[in-house]
Amino acid sequence: MQTILGAGGATGIVLAKELKNYTDHIRLVSRKPARVNANDELFPADLLNASQVEAAVAGSEVVYLTAGLEYNIRVWRRDWPILMRNVINACTKAKARLVFLDNVYMYAADEIPHMTELSRVNPPSEKGKVRAAVQDMLLDAQSQGLQMLIARSADFYGPNVKNSPLSISVNDEFNKGKKAFWQIDASKVHSFTYVPDIGKSLALLGNTPDVFGEVWHLPTSAERLTGKQFIEMIAAEMNVQPRYYIFTGWMMQLLGLFVPILRELKEMAYQYDRDYVFDSSKFEKRFSYQPVSYAEGIRQMIHN
């Protein structure tokens, strides 16, 4: 039995498809789970309810935590520790291996130009502090005997990925006949991880027992494209003009008075004022894995 906690998102759907290569016993857990494969087991549960999580994990050999929470710092501070404690306790009781899909928010700002699994943890944002605290919970549980690994991705994109920065700021705007926009500085390099690569690599990690106990960066193209180059590539694929404007810090501050999500994004703007390079060479060497190129990933994002 392999179980996905937070099965409804784009990553969870791709992961469920990939797990068919390893097992016929797949359990999908969310508030309202929906089948991906014909024989998936559906298990409705609230991950903030300890007894429901324990029941959802029972009998599992591998558990994948791909859940997300509302992008709101108050929600993150309140709910992430509860959710993670519930998952750790359930996996410990079931003797299940845990694969946690994480992001890069906990890395120090001066590590962003070239992030590796050894990058220093010193988050400059409040959301990053929550992610660092959750990581500490996992490392402490590992020292108590939990088999777990942390799998990190850069900002993600791909087909049917609605909340990707590339979709929101470029593809969706072009579809509306509007200019694209880019945060802070379009001359800076920015890595993006392709969601189908995330699904494949999570399944690989979960079914390779000797890679547990480590942090893994998920396969991400090593091509170094700037925001401007991404906009031009997407525009060319959509056959539109690559018109765009820069969404500046003061614009975030002003519009954040009226648009709550912009208040939440403002503290993360440092990820766009410098190069943001995500190094996944450790994973690629271990599994002889070649990430999808940006040209192909953008083609799939736009046409599927």
Side-chain angles (χ1 to χ4, degrees):
M1 176 68 70
Q2 303 204 20
T3 296
I4 304 173
L5 303 178
T11 299
I13 291 170
V14 176
L15 174 57
K17 292 177 181 175
E18 290 298 325
L19 288 179
K20 287 294 292 180
N21 295 318
Y22 301 93
T23 180
D24 288 324
H25 303 284
I26 299 168
R27 181 181 290 160
L28 305 183
V29 182
S30 65
R31 290 180 184 271
K32 295 180 180 178
R35 275 188 184 82
V36 176
N37 309 296
N39 59 345
D40 289 340
E41 177 188 340
L42 303 185
F43 200 112
D46 177 359
L47 299 184
L48 297 176
N49 183 303
S51 61
Q52 290 182 26
V53 176
E54 184 178 314
V57 167
S60 303
E61 181 179 346
V62 186
V63 173
Y64 303 85
L65 179 54
T66 64
L69 293 174
E70 179 188 348
Y71 203 74
N72 178 298
I73 185 56
R74 290 191 298 275
V75 173
W76 279 34
R77 285 189 184 122
R78 182 189 70 207
D79 291 351
W80 262 119
I82 297 170
L83 191 159
M84 186 56 74
R85 177 54 55 202
N86 291 345
V87 172
I88 287 170
N89 289 344
C91 288
T92 300
K93 184 169 183 177
K95 295 183 170 56
R97 300 196 302 270
L98 175 61
V99 176
F100 174 48
L101 176 60
D102 200 3
N103 61 26
V104 299
Y105 286 10
M106 75 295 303
Y107 290 146
D110 58 8
E111 298 280 359
I112 293 295
H114 192 107
M115 294 170 278
T116 73
E117 290 86 349
L118 300 176
S119 288
R120 184 166 50 90
V121 173
N122 185 23
S125 70
E126 294 304 309
K127 293 184 190 68
K129 291 172 185 174
V130 173
R131 301 303 288 219
V134 164
Q135 173 185 271
D136 288 344
M137 293 174 69
L138 282 168
L139 294 174
D140 182 60
Q142 178 178 253
S143 71
Q144 302 298 315
L146 175 69
Q147 286 192 71
M148 70 88 189
L149 66 81
I150 297 172
R152 294 201 172 115
S153 85
D155 288 336
F156 48 84
Y157 79 109
N160 303 310
V161 181
K162 304 302 183 189
N163 55 350
S164 161
L166 284 184
S167 294
I168 293 168
S169 65
V170 186
N171 190 27
D172 292 353
E173 294 300 286
F174 283 156
N175 274 329
K176 297 172 190 171
K178 297 181 178 180
K179 289 182 180 180
F181 63 89
W182 198 264
Q183 291 184 53
I184 310 301
D185 189 345
S187 72
K188 302 301 185 187
V189 171
H190 202 96
S191 296
F192 290 90
T193 307
Y194 186 56
V195 164
D197 276 336
I198 296 176
K200 289 177 185 176
S201 54
L202 288 176
L204 265 172
L205 288 168
N207 288 279
T208 309
D210 68 351
V211 302
F212 280 75
E214 300 182 43
V215 174
W216 293 88
H217 279 189
L218 299 179
T220 300
S221 175
E223 302 163 88
R224 298 196 173 194
L225 300 188
T226 65
K228 181 174 183 288
Q229 288 172 311
F230 276 115
I231 292 167
E232 290 170 347
M233 185 179 285
I234 292 170
E237 190 64 37
M238 297 179 71
N239 197 28
V240 299
Q241 291 300 308
R243 300 183 308 134
Y244 71 95
Y245 65 92
I246 298 300
F247 199 65
T248 63
W250 70 262
M251 290 169 70
M252 280 188 190
Q253 187 154 0
L254 177 63
L255 294 175
L257 297 172
F258 312 101
V259 185
I261 188 63
L262 295 180
R263 289 199 296 273
E264 300 296 331
L265 285 173
K266 186 174 182 298
E267 69 165 352
M268 309 310 301
Y270 72 92
Q271 296 188 328
Y272 285 85
D273 68 8
R274 66 203 71 197
D275 289 340
Y276 170 113
V277 176
F278 186 81
D279 186 329
S280 59
S281 56
K282 173 185 171 182
F283 184 100
E284 292 161 43
K285 289 172 184 173
R286 173 63 175 80
F287 291 100
S288 300
Y289 193 104
Q290 181 63 44
V292 166
S293 70
Y294 287 128
E296 179 59 24
I298 285 170
R299 192 174 303 119
Q300 295 296 327
M301 177 182 79
I302 291 169
H303 299 298
N304 288 304

Tab-separated table of all heavy atoms in Angstrom, residues 139-159:
chain	number	residue	atom	x	y	z
A	139	LEU	N	13.254	16.125	11.179
A	139	LEU	CA	14.593	15.670	11.550
A	139	LEU	C	14.598	15.089	12.962
A	139	LEU	O	15.286	14.104	13.234
A	139	LEU	CB	15.590	16.824	11.430
A	139	LEU	CG	15.830	17.335	10.005
A	139	LEU	CD1	16.707	18.576	10.025
A	139	LEU	CD2	16.438	16.253	9.121
A	140	ASP	N	13.820	15.696	13.848
A	140	ASP	CA	13.715	15.167	15.206
A	140	ASP	C	13.043	13.793	15.193
A	140	ASP	O	13.491	12.861	15.880
A	140	ASP	CB	12.921	16.139	16.078
A	140	ASP	CG	12.826	15.659	17.518
A	140	ASP	OD1	13.878	15.501	18.156
A	140	ASP	OD2	11.700	15.431	17.993
A	141	ALA	N	11.981	13.653	14.370
A	141	ALA	CA	11.300	12.362	14.274
A	141	ALA	C	12.217	11.304	13.668
A	141	ALA	O	12.179	10.128	14.062
A	141	ALA	CB	10.037	12.511	13.430
A	142	GLN	N	13.057	11.734	12.736
A	142	GLN	CA	14.014	10.799	12.135
A	142	GLN	C	14.974	10.272	13.206
A	142	GLN	O	15.299	9.076	13.245
A	142	GLN	CB	14.793	11.485	11.024
A	142	GLN	CG	15.842	10.606	10.364
A	142	GLN	CD	16.557	11.337	9.239
A	142	GLN	OE1	16.336	11.058	8.074
A	142	GLN	NE2	17.415	12.281	9.582
A	143	SER	N	15.400	11.152	14.090
A	143	SER	CA	16.319	10.727	15.153
A	143	SER	C	15.641	9.764	16.127
A	143	SER	O	16.307	9.015	16.833
A	143	SER	CB	16.852	11.943	15.917
A	143	SER	OG	15.828	12.524	16.716
A	144	GLN	N	14.289	9.784	16.115
A	144	GLN	CA	13.521	8.864	16.959
A	144	GLN	C	13.120	7.589	16.220
A	144	GLN	O	12.377	6.769	16.751
A	144	GLN	CB	12.260	9.567	17.467
A	144	GLN	CG	12.512	10.840	18.249
A	144	GLN	CD	13.309	10.618	19.514
A	144	GLN	OE1	13.047	9.694	20.265
A	144	GLN	NE2	14.319	11.461	19.739
A	145	GLY	N	13.579	7.447	14.958
A	145	GLY	CA	13.352	6.200	14.241
A	145	GLY	C	12.471	6.271	13.003
A	145	GLY	O	12.326	5.271	12.291
A	146	LEU	N	11.856	7.447	12.720
A	146	LEU	CA	11.028	7.560	11.515
A	146	LEU	C	11.899	7.504	10.264
A	146	LEU	O	12.900	8.215	10.165
A	146	LEU	CB	10.252	8.878	11.525
A	146	LEU	CG	9.433	9.182	10.264
A	146	LEU	CD1	8.248	8.227	10.144
A	146	LEU	CD2	8.960	10.640	10.267
A	147	GLN	N	11.541	6.660	9.303
A	147	GLN	CA	12.206	6.665	8.004
A	147	GLN	C	11.531	7.734	7.144
A	147	GLN	O	10.337	7.622	6.833
A	147	GLN	CB	12.084	5.305	7.321
A	147	GLN	CG	12.960	4.228	7.905
A	147	GLN	CD	13.001	3.018	6.996
A	147	GLN	OE1	13.599	3.045	5.922
A	147	GLN	NE2	12.349	1.950	7.410
A	148	MET	N	12.267	8.748	6.776
A	148	MET	CA	11.677	9.830	5.986
A	148	MET	C	12.725	10.420	5.063
A	148	MET	O	13.936	10.262	5.261
A	148	MET	CB	11.095	10.905	6.904
A	148	MET	CG	12.094	11.729	7.679
A	148	MET	SD	12.661	13.186	6.746
A	148	MET	CE	13.998	13.781	7.809
A	149	LEU	N	12.258	11.113	4.033
A	149	LEU	CA	13.131	11.925	3.187
A	149	LEU	C	12.385	13.197	2.839
A	149	LEU	O	11.148	13.243	2.867
A	149	LEU	CB	13.579	11.171	1.940
A	149	LEU	CG	12.560	10.766	0.870
A	149	LEU	CD1	12.199	11.908	-0.082
A	149	LEU	CD2	13.103	9.596	0.054
A	150	ILE	N	13.149	14.240	2.532
A	150	ILE	CA	12.589	15.525	2.121
A	150	ILE	C	12.928	15.736	0.657
A	150	ILE	O	14.104	15.697	0.271
A	150	ILE	CB	13.145	16.673	2.977
A	150	ILE	CG1	12.747	16.490	4.449
A	150	ILE	CG2	12.652	18.027	2.456
A	150	ILE	CD1	13.409	17.468	5.401
A	151	ALA	N	11.894	15.916	-0.160
A	151	ALA	CA	12.068	16.137	-1.597
A	151	ALA	C	11.658	17.572	-1.905
A	151	ALA	O	10.505	17.948	-1.670
A	151	ALA	CB	11.206	15.156	-2.387
A	152	ARG	N	12.593	18.358	-2.410
A	152	ARG	CA	12.309	19.776	-2.650
A	152	ARG	C	12.227	20.066	-4.149
A	152	ARG	O	12.954	19.484	-4.946
A	152	ARG	CB	13.391	20.665	-2.028
A	152	ARG	CG	13.396	20.593	-0.523
A	152	ARG	CD	14.066	21.780	0.142
A	152	ARG	NE	13.835	21.682	1.579
A	152	ARG	CZ	14.777	21.490	2.494
A	152	ARG	NH1	16.054	21.428	2.119
A	152	ARG	NH2	14.471	21.381	3.766
A	153	SER	N	11.350	20.998	-4.478
A	153	SER	CA	11.278	21.471	-5.858
A	153	SER	C	11.385	22.988	-5.868
A	153	SER	O	11.143	23.653	-4.848
A	153	SER	CB	9.971	21.027	-6.528
A	153	SER	OG	8.931	21.923	-6.251
A	154	ALA	N	11.747	23.514	-7.033
A	154	ALA	CA	11.684	24.955	-7.256
A	154	ALA	C	10.219	25.328	-7.493
A	154	ALA	O	9.317	24.483	-7.376
A	154	ALA	CB	12.549	25.325	-8.456
A	155	ASP	N	9.947	26.580	-7.828
A	155	ASP	CA	8.610	26.946	-8.295
A	155	ASP	C	8.235	25.991	-9.419
A	155	ASP	O	9.076	25.638	-10.248
A	155	ASP	CB	8.605	28.389	-8.813
A	155	ASP	CG	8.723	29.421	-7.704
A	155	ASP	OD1	8.366	29.097	-6.556
A	155	ASP	OD2	9.173	30.539	-7.992
A	156	PHE	N	6.965	25.574	-9.468
A	156	PHE	CA	6.636	24.542	-10.435
A	156	PHE	C	5.734	25.056	-11.551
A	156	PHE	O	5.124	26.120	-11.461
A	156	PHE	CB	6.017	23.313	-9.750
A	156	PHE	CG	4.923	23.615	-8.774
A	156	PHE	CD1	3.622	23.794	-9.200
A	156	PHE	CD2	5.205	23.707	-7.421
A	156	PHE	CE1	2.604	24.063	-8.300
A	156	PHE	CE2	4.182	23.974	-6.515
A	156	PHE	CZ	2.884	24.152	-6.951
A	157	TYR	N	5.680	24.256	-12.623
A	157	TYR	CA	4.853	24.586	-13.788
A	157	TYR	C	4.532	23.291	-14.521
A	157	TYR	O	5.120	22.242	-14.239
A	157	TYR	CB	5.591	25.552	-14.721
A	157	TYR	CG	6.634	24.901	-15.614
A	157	TYR	CD1	6.425	24.774	-16.983
A	157	TYR	CD2	7.822	24.387	-15.091
A	157	TYR	CE1	7.377	24.164	-17.808
A	157	TYR	CE2	8.776	23.783	-15.904
A	157	TYR	CZ	8.540	23.671	-17.258
A	157	TYR	OH	9.469	23.061	-18.064
A	158	GLY	N	3.605	23.370	-15.461
A	158	GLY	CA	3.272	22.196	-16.254
A	158	GLY	C	1.821	22.219	-16.681
A	158	GLY	O	1.065	23.138	-16.359
A	159	PRO	N	1.383	21.193	-17.426
A	159	PRO	CA	-0.005	21.144	-17.882
A	159	PRO	C	-0.973	21.017	-16.714
A	159	PRO	O	-0.728	20.272	-15.774
A	159	PRO	CB	-0.036	19.889	-18.785
A	159	PRO	CG	1.163	19.083	-18.383
A	159	PRO	CD	2.186	20.052	-17.905
